[in-house]
Amino acid sequence: MELEMRGLTKRFGSFTANDDISLTIEPGEIHCLLGDNGAGKNKLMNMLYGLLEPTAGEVRLDGEPVTFATPGDAIEAGIGMVHQHFMLVPVFTVAENVMLGREQTRGLGVLDREKAAALVRELSERYRLAVDPHALVEDLPVGVQQRVEIIKALANEAKVLILDEPTAVLTPQEIDELMDIMRSLKEQGTSIVFITHKLREVKAIGDRITVIRRGKVVGTAPPSTSETELAEMMVGRAVKLTVDKEPARPGDVVMEAKDVTVIDPRGHTVVKGVSFEARAGEVLGIAGVQGNGQTELIKSLLGVIRPDAGRILVDGQDISAHGPRESLETGIGYIPEDRSHDGYVGAFTVRENLVLDLYRNDEFSKGFALRLDNIAKNAAARIEEFDIRTEDMDTPVSSLSGGNQQKVVVARELSRPLKVLVASQPTRGVDVGSIEFIHKRIITERDQGTAVVIVSTELDEIFALADRIAVMYDGRIVGIVSPDIAREDIGLMMAGAVGPADVAKEGTDA
Amino acid sequence: MPEQTKPEGAGLPEDQPVRPEDKADVRSPASWLPTVKVTAAAFLLALVVGAFLIVFSDQQTIESLGYFFDYPWDFFRYAGEAIYQSYWALLTGAVGSGRAISQTLERAAPLICAGLGVSLAFRTGLFNIGAQGQLLIGTILAGYVGFTWSMPPGLHLLVALIAGVLGGAAWGAISGLLKAKTGAHEVITTIMLNYVATSLLLYLLTKNAFQRPGSDNPRSLPAEESALFPSIGTTHTGVILAVIAAVGVWWLLERSTIGFEMRAVGANADAAATAGMSVGRAYTLAMLIAGALAGLAATMQILGRNDSLTANVAGSIGFDAITVALLGRATPLGTVLAGLLFGALAAGGIQMQASEAATPVSLTLVLQALIVLFVAAPALVRGVMRMKDTGGGATVMAKGWGS
Amino acid sequence: MGIVSTAVQTQGSAPQEPVVRDRADVRRQVKLVVVMAITTLLLLYFALSIDDPTVQYVLGERVSREFPPKDLAAGPVVWISFAVAAVALVLAVLNKVPKGWLGVLVYLAAGLAFYAGFIVWAYADQGEGFQAAIANPLPGTIEIATPLILGALAGVMCERAGVINIAIEGQFLMGAFFAAVFASLAFSAYMGLLGAVLAGVGLAALLALFSLRYLVNQVVLGVVLIALASGLTAFLLSQIPSDPEIRQYLNEPPRLEELPIPVLSDLPVVGQALFNQTLLVYLMYLSVAVVTFVLFQTRWGLRVRSVGEHPKAADTVGIKVNRVRWQAVLFGGVFAGLGGAYYTVGSTGSFDRDLSSGNGFIALAALIMGRWHPVGATFAALFFGFMWNLQSQLAFVDKIPGQLLGATPYLATIIAVAGFVGRVRPPAADGEPYVKS
């Protein structure tokens, strides 16, 4: 089935998200849509899928114009979508999620759960996506949840499958497996639209690559195009794909974790006796696929959750029992993984958010009264220093772009002297320009003598920033390696293929 | 091990410039205007619906419907008369004379105080349905000090006042502490505590200490002269306290560190906790202060209007305070204005009932509800009045069930 | 340099994992021990403070010719209860309380033991004069709980679909009023039920309209609808002339009669309580079953729940979110209206101002305590009904002053919520209108 987009445009008031996009997806091809965070690829696909109404333009299937008022129409026309943020109901089982919208019933609307489970098993075997139909989605690791998403789309017999940033939660090996699945789907005649911002992947799998920037199509390129060229098309200027940095000069151990164990509310041990050291002037990267305990480990470092066993020391002082407030006062800076959830208060203004964990300082408050003048001065200084793009300091942070929201959080944490900077997914959902800025600032902080701990699921980021890499799998650190390690090797560690008994020697020299 | 990709932020995850509609509509007067227009239109709409009710409750008008097709003008004349008399009485009863204004202020004062308490709790993300109970405890303590102890005038008032405020504060703090320590939902605990407070009052009214000497009725003495608020004209000065309380709450929310924490916890408790704020402390403080404000409202009744303690001493102030807070969008200024409006309606309603149209007081209750409803549904009002959509800010208030 | 070997390892030897106890688990045990200890100590006090060990009990709701009072030896009962509680305490201290069903049985046993001990103690030593007998708590519990359960079911339907319904009290009032009016006009209590349903659905329509179409904040809306219903019913009530000739057509409804179910109502103890009730109570049984089945076993129920948990996901599979929400809210209105009918045609008859006296809020509390599950909410409502009934029966015994006794159901609920229910998690999208961006 040929899918053609003609002049698709989407405007929100005076803002144009997609500008006159014309694109054809040939039957049986893997077409990659490459674009930076914020380029508009997501909104384009939402229009294709009936989630958004186009302001102008049309969509044609096999030459016939079609309109999708709702996703139901798109599904019926043969378009399936695997969303970046899973459209799965956490409290439902896998089978219930897959059957939602086209439920198998036993007459009178009574659900037929056996039939639904059988369908799931059948699809699971056909496409080699192993899932248990009766498992609750919220209990599943993220990689398995993605399989459910894919099965859901395939259950509707999609002729065109749209995959929106599917690899964020996969190990390198799982990414390869996904690509195999995509190739076999292609052989069976399904067209695939693969949306991503990762250059490596589009070159590996794409038949054709269309680059989108600021809502417009920049051009279509073959997979033989170099990464540098693609990056330039994506961003509009020459992009440095690596971070310039001096070799690290590690000093004393500033933060130490000893046998930290965390048990989640459901009784699973998610962090199993983790130990590591973070030194001043050095970046320790913690690599691993989402869902292997990194989130809980980081939260326990800060004191948001208390470790059930083990100790955390900063400069020799035991802070395991400290809450976030004391940890912050001990000199820890924290950039949380989910900024809208834990990083900033969306309804608060930029200036308020810039002192969210600092207002108790003498500089910003006297007794119970806030010092509004100093708060304003601070905001002005930070906005300038960190190039935060905002109308003014009184804009609510929720209306800033993702990159600028993250810059607010980073600015706040870096605006005081730190002993340790803990940053989790520091550039998730952030545009390339802001990524460069944030990475540079992190290195600057390192060079000032702060110990830096970075947790990231993006291997590229880990390789770019880290001086030492600890790999987490299944709640344990399976090894601490140097950034010279080969990609396949670290991929194996991230997948747990190398057991803890096989812990590598620490990286000797950089 | 199990974890789900958390959805991207509530903001625009992609690199997009700020949209004008997203800006908070606080600073410039030009951005208030649509809200003022919509509020006025909402008011008008409510009055129109109220007019219908008046028409159909008037004896004469209903009768004239019987011969409507013979002589329609009678219907319109009687209807017009009924509406005019009712609303005129409402207006004059509220602001038509010095006495009316005094009534309005005296009825508004407790609504404002209790409403401030509810507003403060809302801003902290808590549904305080317990203003009624907190108020009752306040009346008990203030009343007891008022009619049992003997003290020199100024001191007696002060002590009774403090007693009332402390009583309400303690009652509110219970819910706050329960939420902070056990996670018990404040909707449940405050509702339950309302009933417990009522039971407590009823029980105390069977005790000699609270009954009038020589009588077994569940009715206490009113507070002694020395404990009452001095009056200016016919208005008791407690009204001024209500205004001071409003200013205090404003300062607390906007200019103090405690208020900063409360608002942060109300808007995003997770981010507040990560930033080192104590969510439990914010909850407890908010409920404590809310209770204190309800206790202050209690003193308006006991020490201002000099009511005796009866089973009904709190009337429906506690519940009305919730509506006042909602109409006032949980802001101090809004609460004051809403409280004044409701006080006016209450004072005027009595006149309305006594007027020739004899419209029952319960109409004011319907009017109150309609006003809040229409103000909260700007889209509806705009649709009916064919006004343009120029945007209007949303309130930062607890949207769902909170934490 | 990198890893030493790239060979894929088969399951490496896992290190000895230290058995670490979850901090929250420890806290739970401490709470349990404290509760069991208090229970045991109180039972000990009860056992020791009884002088005259004979009490009377009656199998029916009150002493009557059908149900003569019988004697019961109080002493052994209290001592056995004490023993049961002590065993539970020991289990808690040793952290050996079984999980799952067995554990629930242990808690149930301890609870029953406490109830038995307490009630026997309360009824003992009544002195001279009228001897109140321990009566069967079931009939009263069921009656009082009926409107609460119906109201909670309405809440379940609305909130599972993602619409906060604080206005149950308003639906009660409207249901009660229109039940009275319809029943009076038609001289039939059953017509009254119809009127109640229409009223409940009507207010539900307002809730749906303003929350889903005009995007009014649902908490505000709920409070406003209660105020509106209260004011409107008071207003309409005042319009009913006091002339008895006219009044009998508008506000003097016949009441529902008790309909005993042939075989079942003869069962001992439970027969009369469960199976000799009005149609409204039987409808309540049916409603619990229907709502539970519909919500968890049907296609529509799955969609309702999906819309309340993750409306975007539902939208992406083609479900019309707002339409499903409308349907759920209106469906819930049926139960809320019926619940309101209880207060007029189901019990006292004529409508009076604010007749349901805040019970809509109790239904709301039951909903939250029951964690938004129809069966859970039913148990919570039954718990409340039980406490209320207990309190009203104990009023006949002079041991505790009546007014304070009146506070016990509410205190019990606070203790239950603070001690045992803890943090509750509503449907994820509850209260958020779904707007396509």
Side-chain angles (χ1 to χ4, degrees):
Chain A
M1 184 173 72
E2 183 196 65
L3 174 67
E4 189 190 340
M5 290 168 254
R6 281 197 191 182
L8 271 187
T9 309
K10 181 66 188 170
R11 271 188 269 270
F12 294 100
S14 57
F15 171 68
T16 311
N18 294 120
D19 198 352
D20 194 32
I21 302 213
S22 294
L23 189 53
T24 310
I25 315 284
E26 307 287 346
E29 79 163 342
I30 298 182
H31 196 118
C32 290
L33 214 55
L34 179 68
D36 195 5
N37 276 303
K41 350 181 254 300
N42 200 260
K43 298 258 183 307
L44 183 65
M45 290 304 114
N46 283 347
M47 280 195 282
L48 263 192
Y49 194 58
L51 279 170
L52 275 184
E53 212 185 302
T55 317
E58 63 173 6
V59 177
R60 286 179 176 223
L61 285 178
D62 283 331
E64 295 294 318
V66 287
T67 29
F68 300 135
T70 68
D73 299 336
I75 295 175
E76 246 163 84
I79 300 184
M81 185 150 163
V82 176
H83 307 263
Q84 178 184 12
H85 305 297
F86 303 148
M87 294 293 163
L88 299 174
V89 180
V91 296
F92 282 5
T93 64
V94 169
E96 287 171 338
N97 268 292
V98 171
M99 74 161 135
L100 191 65
R102 41 189 304 286
E103 298 87 350
Q104 285 81 4
T105 59
R106 253 197 304 237
L108 270 193
V110 178
L111 295 173
D112 189 346
R113 288 207 165 86
E114 272 81 52
K115 242 204 262 174
L119 174 68
V120 170
R121 272 187 222 106
E122 186 216 316
L123 288 169
S124 175
E125 273 171 40
R126 198 178 347 150
Y127 297 104
R128 292 176 317 167
L129 295 161
V131 287
D132 169 14
H134 295 297
L136 276 181
V137 164
E138 65 184 351
D139 288 336
L140 295 175
V142 171
V144 181
Q145 286 180 6
Q146 182 169 72
R147 283 186 227 149
V148 178
E149 263 288 291
I150 299 178
I151 288 187
K152 220 173 87 155
L154 294 173
N156 285 310
E157 281 151 45
K159 298 196 209 82
V160 176
L161 191 63
I162 305 173
L163 294 165
D164 191 356
E165 307 264 12
T167 58
V169 296
L170 302 176
T171 65
Q173 277 74 20
E174 285 171 330
I175 294 179
D176 287 335
E177 280 169 26
L178 180 64
M179 296 203 174
D180 285 335
I181 295 170
M182 285 163 66
R183 284 189 200 97
S184 88
L185 282 172
K186 168 180 152 175
E187 267 159 47
Q188 292 178 36
T190 317
S191 319
I192 299 188
V193 181
F194 184 74
I195 305 172
T196 182
H197 63 274
K198 301 208 201 150
L199 305 168
R200 184 191 315 274
E201 288 165 12
V202 299
K203 281 168 64 70
I205 190 76
D207 295 325
R208 289 193 298 154
I209 305 169
T210 299
V211 183
I212 297 202
R213 185 174 83 227
R214 293 222 181 280
K216 291 200 184 60
V217 172
V218 172
T220 307
S224 52
T225 321
S226 75
E227 281 192 25
T228 337
E229 252 183 271
L230 287 172
E232 207 171 317
M233 285 172 84
M234 239 174 54
V235 185
R237 55 176 170 84
V239 181
K240 284 196 68 55
L241 292 175
T242 53
V243 180
D244 273 336
K245 58 175 187 173
E246 308 258 311
R249 275 178 304 231
D252 298 321
V253 171
V254 177
M255 173 183 259
E256 238 189 295
K258 288 189 180 199
D259 285 322
V260 173
T261 305
V262 177
I263 306 178
D264 78 4
R266 247 171 274 137
H268 303 131
T269 311
V270 290
V271 180
K272 301 176 183 166
V274 163
S275 303
F276 66 80
E277 287 172 354
R279 290 170 193 275
E282 180 187 64
V283 175
L284 174 69
I286 300 186
V289 165
Q290 177 110 22
N292 279 295
Q294 305 94 305
T295 309
E296 290 83 0
L297 174 65
I298 295 302
K299 283 194 174 165
S300 70
L301 288 183
L302 187 75
V304 175
I305 56 185
R306 239 181 106 182
D308 291 286
R311 296 193 303 150
I312 300 161
L313 306 160
V314 169
D315 272 349
Q317 190 194 3
D318 190 337
I319 64 161
S320 325
H322 282 191
R325 176 160 166 184
E326 293 113 323
S327 303
L328 292 169
E329 280 166 12
T330 318
I332 301 183
Y334 182 57
I335 299 174
E337 176 180 327
D338 191 340
R339 56 177 170 270
S340 68
H341 198 260
D342 311 299
Y344 60 77
V345 177
F348 272 18
T349 62
V350 171
R351 83 159 101 179
E352 285 173 323
N353 271 291
L354 282 170
V355 293
L356 196 65
D357 53 11
L358 301 170
Y359 64 96
R360 276 177 238 101
N361 294 357
D362 288 331
E363 189 188 341
F364 299 119
S365 66
K366 191 167 169 195
F368 284 131
L370 294 170
R371 288 192 140 135
L372 293 177
D373 47 352
N374 284 354
I375 293 179
K377 270 195 234 149
N378 175 65
R382 298 290 153 258
I383 290 177
E384 169 140 9
E385 186 188 339
F386 284 80
D387 190 26
I388 302 175
R389 310 271 171 87
T390 169
E391 288 268 331
D392 56 48
M393 62 171 75
D394 288 315
T395 321
V397 168
S398 56
S399 38
L400 298 180
S401 74
N404 286 305
Q405 288 170 342
Q406 191 72 332
K407 279 200 259 187
V408 169
V409 178
V410 173
R412 178 181 74 217
E413 296 307 302
L414 295 183
S415 62
R416 56 197 163 92
L418 297 174
K419 290 192 189 145
V420 187
L421 174 67
V422 176
S424 196
Q425 319 293 352
T427 57
R428 174 179 279 172
V430 170
D431 59 282
V432 167
S434 301
I435 294 180
E436 283 181 308
F437 187 95
I438 293 175
H439 280 179
K440 261 205 277 244
R441 276 310 249 107
I442 290 178
I443 297 296
T444 310
E445 193 67 26
R446 174 200 80 167
D447 291 334
Q448 282 172 0
T450 312
V452 179
V453 178
I454 303 249
V455 175
S456 180
T457 55
E458 295 273 342
L459 268 184
D460 289 328
E461 183 167 49
I462 295 275
F463 280 131
L465 294 176
D467 302 310
R468 276 188 309 143
I469 304 177
V471 183
M472 268 194 88
Y473 173 75
D474 192 29
R476 292 194 189 88
I477 292 196
V478 293
I480 302 188
V481 302
S482 99
D484 299 335
I485 190 175
R487 229 185 149 83
E488 306 87 62
D489 294 337
I490 203 172
L492 285 173
M493 291 175 83
M494 284 163 69
V498 178
D502 204 36
V503 168
K505 294 198 281 284
E506 282 207 24
T508 40
D509 27 37
Chain B
M1 195 193 327
E3 233 184 64
Q4 188 188 24
T5 310
K6 297 189 182 69
E8 200 67 89
L12 313 165
E14 306 170 348
D15 202 350
Q16 289 165 0
V18 177
R19 306 197 299 215
E21 310 91 79
D22 286 340
K23 280 175 68 172
D25 67 312
V26 198
R27 313 294 146 164
S28 66
S31 60
W32 287 342
L33 217 42
T35 325
V36 172
K37 276 206 303 200
V38 170
T39 311
F43 204 87
L44 212 60
L45 206 55
L47 287 177
V48 166
V49 177
F52 272 108
L53 287 176
I54 293 176
V55 163
F56 288 104
S57 75
D58 183 53
Q59 189 83 339
Q60 273 187 308
T61 319
I62 298 290
E63 281 169 6
S64 75
L65 258 185
Y67 55 91
F68 183 72
F69 289 106
D70 296 322
Y71 193 60
W73 301 120
D74 256 2
F75 171 74
F76 290 114
R77 183 162 63 97
Y78 289 136
E81 261 174 31
I83 296 176
Y84 174 75
Q85 280 165 357
S86 301
Y87 282 152
W88 182 246
L90 191 62
L91 189 63
T92 52
V95 295
S97 64
R99 177 143 181 91
I101 295 186
S102 156
Q103 273 293 304
T104 297
L105 287 176
E106 285 194 356
R107 280 173 190 277
L111 288 175
I112 292 175
C113 290
L116 284 171
V118 177
S119 295
L120 188 70
F122 265 135
R123 295 293 286 275
T124 317
L126 299 168
F127 298 165
N128 178 14
I129 317 278
Q132 186 81 352
Q134 292 144 19
L135 202 138
L136 277 175
I137 302 293
T139 61
I140 292 175
L141 284 179
Y144 186 73
V145 170
F147 58 67
T148 317
W149 296 355
S150 282
M151 282 188 217
L155 188 63
H156 201 184
L157 170 61
L158 193 61
V159 174
L161 191 61
I162 293 178
V165 168
L166 282 180
W171 210 241
I174 297 178
S175 291
L177 272 171
L178 283 176
K179 172 112 190 181
K181 298 284 175 209
T182 69
H185 205 291
E186 71 280 2
V187 167
I188 302 183
T189 52
T190 50
I191 293 175
M192 295 298 142
L193 284 174
N194 282 349
Y195 286 106
V196 175
T198 312
S199 298
L200 192 60
L201 177 64
L202 287 175
Y203 172 68
L204 288 174
L205 284 176
T206 61
K207 293 283 168 200
N208 283 329
F210 277 78
Q211 285 170 337
R212 294 187 178 200
S215 152
D216 243 354
N217 285 342
R219 187 193 174 81
S220 77
L221 284 167
E224 286 178 29
E225 280 274 347
S226 50
L228 299 180
F229 282 114
S231 303
I232 301 183
T234 46
T235 324
H236 67 80
T237 42
V239 173
I240 302 180
L241 270 186
V243 177
I244 297 179
V247 174
V249 169
W250 172 83
W251 185 88
L252 183 74
L253 277 177
E254 302 293 332
R255 295 272 184 273
S256 76
T257 54
I258 299 181
F260 189 71
E261 285 173 17
M262 286 184 188
R263 285 186 294 125
V265 168
N268 185 344
D270 291 301
T274 309
M277 301 184 193
S278 167
V279 174
R281 196 178 78 135
Y283 285 156
T284 312
L285 259 180
M287 288 305 296
L288 188 134
I289 300 178
L293 286 164
L296 186 63
T299 61
M300 305 279 144
Q301 301 295 93
I302 299 289
L303 307 174
R305 295 167 58 91
N306 205 9
D307 287 344
S308 307
L309 279 183
T310 61
N312 214 17
V313 66
S316 66
I317 297 179
F319 195 73
D320 292 338
I322 301 176
T323 333
V324 164
L326 293 178
L327 181 59
R329 308 266 184 122
T331 61
L333 178 62
T335 308
V336 170
L337 293 175
L340 283 171
L341 177 65
F342 276 40
L345 284 173
I350 299 186
Q351 278 301 93
M352 192 172 68
Q353 177 144 304
S355 77
E356 274 201 48
T359 311
V361 157
S362 40
L363 180 76
T364 55
L365 299 177
V366 178
L367 274 181
Q368 282 172 340
L370 288 175
I371 291 176
V372 181
L373 185 61
F374 292 143
V375 167
L380 172 65
V381 175
R382 263 186 242 119
V384 171
M385 305 294 222
R386 311 232 180 279
M387 285 156 73
K388 271 210 306 231
D389 185 345
T390 45
T395 337
V396 183
M397 241 166 60
K399 243 203 177 113
W401 282 110
S403 49
Chain C
M1 249 314 285
I3 282 189
V4 173
S5 91
T6 54
V8 174
Q9 286 255 322
T10 46
Q11 272 296 293
S13 54
Q16 287 300 81
E17 264 174 51
V19 176
V20 177
R21 271 194 72 197
D22 193 2
R23 207 168 292 280
D25 200 33
V26 177
R27 254 181 278 140
R28 242 174 277 139
Q29 189 202 4
V30 169
K31 240 195 302 190
L32 197 59
V33 168
V34 168
V35 168
M36 289 300 169
I38 295 179
T39 312
T40 316
L41 282 172
L42 277 175
L43 281 171
L44 186 63
Y45 169 70
F46 292 154
L48 292 175
S49 69
I50 295 182
D51 295 319
D52 175 14
T54 43
V55 286
Q56 293 187 316
Y57 74 94
V58 62
L59 282 177
E61 225 180 321
R62 56 189 76 82
V63 179
S64 61
R65 224 169 307 143
E66 221 187 317
F67 295 109
K70 310 208 191 128
D71 285 332
L72 175 70
V77 172
V78 186
W79 283 109
I80 294 176
S81 303
F82 169 71
V84 170
V87 166
L89 175 64
V90 168
L91 281 179
V93 168
L94 294 176
N95 200 25
K96 288 265 179 284
V97 179
K99 302 245 185 275
W101 278 113
L102 274 178
V104 173
L105 277 175
V106 170
Y107 299 137
L108 218 54
L112 277 171
F114 183 73
Y115 170 66
F118 171 72
I119 199 104
V120 162
W121 170 79
Y123 276 80
D125 301 332
Q126 283 184 45
E128 303 300 320
F130 169 69
Q131 293 282 324
I134 303 176
N136 187 349
L138 284 177
T141 303
I142 301 272
E143 274 174 41
I144 299 171
T146 297
L148 300 178
I149 294 176
L150 287 168
L153 288 176
V156 167
M157 283 315 304
C158 290
E159 305 232 350
R160 282 285 187 155
V163 178
I164 295 187
N165 182 2
I166 300 213
I168 302 175
E169 172 74 0
Q171 288 171 304
F172 275 0
L173 284 172
M174 297 291 269
F177 181 78
F178 285 100
V181 170
F182 270 58
S184 305
L185 280 173
F187 288 101
S188 152
Y190 297 107
M191 282 308 285
L193 289 184
L194 177 66
V197 169
L198 290 175
V201 173
L203 202 70
L206 280 181
L207 179 67
L209 179 70
F210 279 96
S211 62
L212 299 175
R213 176 101 193 279
Y214 295 111
L215 305 181
V216 177
N217 177 303
Q218 287 165 22
V219 173
V220 177
L221 186 57
V223 174
V224 167
L225 285 177
I226 297 179
L228 193 63
S230 170
L232 200 59
T233 50
F235 182 78
L236 291 173
L237 180 67
S238 66
Q239 297 305 305
I240 296 179
S242 39
D243 179 0
E245 282 287 315
I246 307 182
R247 216 168 155 270
Q248 64 169 313
Y249 287 106
L250 288 176
N251 197 14
E252 248 156 63
R255 271 165 273 167
L256 290 169
E257 340 162 300
E258 294 184 350
L259 305 168
I261 298 185
V263 174
L264 294 169
S265 62
D266 289 324
L267 290 171
V269 184
V270 295
Q272 287 294 306
L274 296 179
F275 302 113
N276 186 15
Q277 295 277 11
T278 65
L279 177 65
L280 195 56
V281 177
Y282 298 142
L283 282 175
M284 179 267 286
Y285 297 152
L286 190 62
S287 304
V288 177
V290 164
V291 170
T292 312
F293 183 76
V294 165
L295 210 49
F296 295 103
Q297 296 297 334
T298 67
R299 171 175 54 200
W300 184 72
L302 189 70
R303 295 185 178 196
V304 166
R305 286 186 293 136
S306 72
V307 151
E309 293 282 345
H310 200 326
K312 190 117 198 256
D315 191 14
T316 57
V317 295
I319 295 176
K320 298 201 168 52
V321 173
N322 275 342
R323 186 197 293 182
V324 173
R325 284 181 166 175
W326 262 98
Q327 290 165 351
V329 172
L330 291 178
F331 185 54
V334 171
F335 303 111
L338 280 178
Y342 171 81
Y343 294 103
T344 48
V345 297
S347 56
T348 52
S350 307
F351 181 81
D352 201 359
R353 250 189 102 146
D354 290 329
L355 188 59
S356 46
S357 47
N359 278 344
F361 287 113
I362 310 284
L364 189 63
L367 169 70
I368 299 177
M369 275 171 69
R371 295 169 192 253
W372 287 269
H373 191 290
V375 175
T378 302
F379 277 116
L382 282 172
F383 167 74
F384 195 86
F386 178 78
M387 296 302 309
W388 191 303
N389 185 62
L390 181 66
Q391 167 265 127
S392 69
Q393 284 182 340
L394 281 178
F396 291 111
V397 181
D398 275 326
K399 229 167 207 161
I400 310 170
Q403 292 83 7
L404 286 185
L405 211 49
T408 39
Y410 309 105
L411 284 173
T413 310
I414 294 180
I415 295 174
V417 164
F420 301 103
V421 175
R423 257 160 262 272
V424 290
R425 198 184 72 164
D430 205 8
E432 288 168 31
Y434 183 61
V435 183
K436 281 206 321 206
S437 48

